[in-house]
Every structure is written in C-alpha cells, then in structure tokens.
Amino acid sequence: MTTLTAPDLAGFKTIDDSQIESFRKNGHVLIPGILNQTEVAYYRDVINRAATVFNTEKRSLKDRDTYGKAFLQITNLWEVDEQVRSFSLAKRFGKIAADLLGVENVRMYHDQALYKEPGGGFTPWHQDQYYWPVDTNNTVTMWMPLIDITEEMGMLTFASRSHESGFVENVAISDESEAMLEKYIQQKGFQVSRAKTMHAGDATWHYGWTLHSAPGNKSEEVMREVMTIIFVADGAAVTEPQNKHQEADRQRWMCGLPTGSMLASRLNPLIL
C-alpha cells in the first residue's frame, strides 16, 4: 500500500569516484540503495497501478514474436500519471546521471516500465542508442528493479567496454540482433557480466551504446518488475534519423523537433 505522502526524491545521493570510473571504463555500473525500502514500496505501487492501466499488450506469450515475449513495455508513464512523474523526474536520479556522465544537467528522453512475465523470453543483444537521433554519446539508462530479483528472473547483462565502439549494427532488437551482436561480442572479446542479485531500489546504469541483453524469466510465478529512465546530457541536438525507429522517436519523444534543433521539447524537461 502507498503511504499518504509521496516520498520526496529531491535529495541527492552521493556516488563515489570508483563508481564513476567503473561506469566510464566498462560502460555500466550497479549502484546499490538508491531508494530505501519505504521509497521503493511507495513507488512500486504507483508504477504498477499506472502500468496496469496503460499496458496495451493483450496477446498471450505464445502469440508474440521474440521482442514481444521479452517484456511488457509501457513508455512515458510520467506523461500520464502525476505520481509516476514524481519518480521519473526525481532530482536524485538526474544528479546521479549527470555525475556519471560528467555534465552539469540532463534531460529526460523517456521512461519505460519493462515487466518480464513469468516464463517470459530473453531480451536480445542490442544498443539503446540505435533508436535515438541525438548528437551526443552522453546518454545513460537507469534500470531499477522494483522487487528483489535474481539472474534467473531476467537480470540485465552487459558487454563491458562495448560502448567504446559506438554504433555497431543498424539492427533493431530481434533474433537478428541477437545473432549478429553475439558474434560481434565474441570477435571483440568483450567480457560479459551481470549481477547475481539486485535488491529493490538498486539500479544499474549504462551508456546508450553499451551492448546489453537479458535472459528469460525462469520464475513460474513472479513478474520481473523494472522501471527505466533514459537521460541525455543537456545541450544535445537532434540528428537526421538513420532508420524508421529513430524517425518514430523524433516524432514521439521529441515532439517532431526538426534536425539540428536542441533536444528541448516539452517531453524533454531539464531534471536539475
């Protein structure tokens, strides 16, 4: 149950230099305890209720393709729910993002509830920034479980240092991306790693170009509840879309901003 008053997430959490160094070197880092038990319990309830209302996936798992089996995906909940807005635009998260990237301020790109159902399929290897028409590498995704999870439930998995390669393949999340990028990771010798467990309120952070994937949810009963937020360094500009997905993002998450303009639409507010 939620408390009567929403926990205030304006207070900053200091991260240490070793976490920043690890993030910039490997392209990802796990930061524990960003939310305490009271905070995560409140916002878990808020996000779950909003995700239930706005989820549009009604097909059974067996009737979906690989992408559809990977997770239930409900995007920009902050735009339609005031309580989720307090979570997604929290200065606590924005300050961590800015500190990791080494910038003064960041903007929202979008949030995304990613719920992997019991028996849900794997998430193929991909790069988030394949979808984003922006002219900066200073982008980061926060991936926060709302319940305690184990690697058997679909733990995010990273190819360390893969962000240094930038754009790899013009391929969306699919069986094709899994095959192509798995081969690329082996050829490059990137170390593949993931946490064994994460507590609710911990979060991983990864660059937009960091290759990542997740195994399926082997649990027979427990939904893997994860909330994600994508941040882009303030001052980024919109680039010419390189694929249909980037054009769709330009229209939806950037309100159709023209190429060359600053990423500063009403859906890309400053966080700090």
Side-chain angles (χ1 to χ4, degrees):
M1 294 294 291
T2 57
T3 56
L4 293 177
T5 304
D8 183 1
L9 302 184
F12 295 154
K13 174 183 172 61
T14 301
I15 57 175
D16 60 45
D17 290 342
S18 65
Q19 291 170 319
I20 295 172
E21 181 183 0
S22 179
F23 171 76
R24 296 180 186 175
K25 176 183 177 181
N26 296 312
H28 62 93
V29 67
L30 192 163
I31 300 178
I34 295 172
L35 297 186
N36 64 35
Q37 290 184 351
T38 300
E39 291 165 339
V40 76
Y42 176 90
Y43 284 106
R44 178 196 178 201
D45 189 44
V46 164
I47 294 165
N48 277 343
R49 285 190 285 108
T52 299
V53 170
F54 294 100
N55 174 41
T56 59
E57 179 58 80
K58 306 302 182 186
R59 297 171 298 172
S60 65
L61 275 170
K62 65 181 178 60
D63 294 327
R64 304 179 212 164
D65 62 11
T66 296
Y67 186 90
K69 289 175 181 176
F71 37 63
L72 298 175
Q73 178 177 247
I74 310 99
T75 307
N76 250 32
L77 284 173
W78 78 270
E79 191 181 0
V80 294
D81 187 287
E82 280 297 316
Q83 290 177 296
V84 177
R85 180 186 180 93
S86 298
F87 178 92
S88 296
L89 301 187
K91 294 183 184 300
R92 188 181 304 176
F93 305 148
K95 183 64 164 62
I96 293 174
D99 288 347
L100 290 173
L101 296 174
V103 300
E104 290 295 317
N105 209 338
V106 291
R107 290 184 179 272
M108 161 73 73
Y109 189 66
H110 64 70
D111 68 19
Q112 197 168 44
L114 295 176
Y115 287 13
K116 196 178 284 286
E117 299 150 285
F122 73 101
T123 306
W125 285 109
H126 64 283
Q127 295 176 298
D128 290 344
Q129 198 156 330
Y130 161 82
Y131 292 90
W132 310 339
V134 294
D135 71 345
T136 180
N137 292 331
N138 276 330
T139 62
V140 61
T141 298
M142 181 188 85
W143 192 90
M144 178 178 284
L146 303 177
I147 60 170
D148 294 349
I149 65 171
T150 65
E151 60 182 328
E152 289 79 17
M153 293 170 65
M155 184 69 73
L156 206 58
T157 304
F158 303 99
S160 294
R161 307 190 76 160
S162 58
H163 65 297
E164 297 174 348
S165 299
F167 170 84
V168 176
E169 293 283 357
N170 190 25
V171 59
I173 303 175
S174 59
D175 290 325
E176 183 183 13
S177 76
E178 173 72 8
M180 293 175 67
L181 295 175
E182 174 68 29
K183 181 178 179 181
Y184 177 81
I185 289 165
Q186 292 178 358
Q187 289 174 339
K188 289 290 187 177
F190 294 133
Q191 180 180 353
V192 175
S193 64
R194 61 172 173 253
K196 295 291 185 183
T197 61
M198 288 180 69
H199 293 298
D202 297 347
T204 60
W205 302 73
H206 63 272
Y207 277 112
W209 288 126
T210 302
L211 287 162
H212 58 286
S213 64
N217 183 358
K218 295 180 181 178
S219 169
E220 295 181 357
E221 299 179 353
V222 182
M223 178 84 76
R224 188 210 69 183
E225 303 169 13
V226 167
M227 187 65 173
T228 70
I229 308 171
I230 300 163
F231 301 98
V232 178
D234 183 33
V238 182
T239 56
E240 185 68 29
Q242 299 300 301
N243 54 59
K244 65 180 182 180
H245 305 290
Q246 288 192 5
E247 174 59 16
D249 267 29
R250 186 181 73 85
Q251 294 294 339
R252 178 65 180 93
W253 311 126
M254 303 176 175
C255 299
L257 288 174
T259 298
S261 61
M262 291 294 99
L263 178 64
S265 80
R266 65 176 180 82
L267 293 184
N268 315 119
L270 281 169
I271 303 298
L272 301 176

